[in-house]
Amino acid sequence: MTAPSHLPFQQPPDGDGQRLRLRPQVEADADTVAPWLPEAVAAMLGRGAAPRAGLTLSTLLHEWNVVYPAGQTLIGETATGEPAGLLRARAPVDGQLVIDALTVNARVRNLGYGQEMVMAVERESGVGIVRILAGVPPTNGLAVYFWLRAGFHPLYPRVTAESSGLDPALLWMVRDLE
């Protein structure tokens, strides 16, 4: 099966009644995410991780394009237009959706937006998805707990080789939908 090159996201029309929507990241997002991006990316690593001074969206996207070349970065946007977070996911292949990274703006963290971003990528990725994989830095216990609450469990045996297409440095969480 050939993988689609992009996830099928389009910005929903205004007034759709949703609390959050996912949309493709665009250049104009650089200014709106700049104030919170370094802290949010550091938070992905776990408590005590120091934000990288001067981290920009352009730099982060370049890094993600190297590490996760098949992925697409999506912006989780609240109904008021505020960016709630970033999600890096790959178009489904053979019924498997992969979420390589998820980060949430501290201003709206712990309000359910991260889970809504996961539900939206699942819903919008199309029919036929039977499994979702999510990568988590093993040093981030809160993120592991987040994925457990979302119905995921650790993938065993652990990923040990890059041939699987999954970063072996991450703990992979999985949710089977069938």
Side-chain angles (χ1 to χ4, degrees):
M1 178 177 178
T2 304
S5 60
H6 292 286
L7 293 163
F9 283 88
Q10 300 297 321
Q11 187 168 346
D14 291 337
D16 61 4
Q18 293 182 4
R19 196 173 90 112
L20 177 123
R21 60 181 166 227
L22 282 181
R23 62 169 176 76
Q25 172 275 322
V26 295
E27 279 188 46
D29 292 320
D31 291 336
T32 59
V33 304
W36 56 264
L37 185 67
E39 185 281 331
V41 170
M44 286 185 350
L45 300 176
R47 290 189 179 202
R52 283 175 31 202
L55 178 66
T56 65
L57 183 58
S58 176
T59 302
L60 180 65
L61 293 177
H62 174 73
E63 291 171 6
W64 282 359
N65 286 334
V66 169
V67 178
Y68 314 118
Q72 180 182 6
T73 301
L74 303 167
I75 296 282
E77 187 174 79
T78 68
T80 62
E82 178 181 3
L86 300 170
L87 183 139
R88 180 73 175 205
R90 302 180 209 176
V93 175
D94 296 331
Q96 184 168 281
L97 172 67
V98 177
I99 300 171
D100 290 299
L102 172 67
T103 188
V104 178
N105 179 345
R107 269 183 34 89
V108 296
R109 200 173 293 147
N110 299 317
L111 298 176
Y113 287 108
Q115 295 229 0
E116 288 183 39
M117 290 170 63
V118 172
M119 291 185 306
V121 76
E122 176 184 337
R123 181 178 59 248
E124 298 295 327
S125 290
V127 296
I129 296 173
V130 296
R131 173 180 258 201
I132 303 173
L133 290 161
V136 181
T139 56
N140 191 341
L142 288 174
V144 172
Y145 182 63
F146 166 87
W147 290 105
L148 289 170
R149 286 189 340 260
F152 288 70
H153 60 84
L155 177 66
Y156 289 108
R158 282 202 61 185
V159 173
T160 57
E162 291 186 46
S163 62
S164 67
L166 302 176
D167 184 347
L170 298 176
L171 170 64
W172 287 91
M173 305 294 285
V174 62
R175 183 160 55 99
D176 291 311
L177 303 177
E178 288 189 340

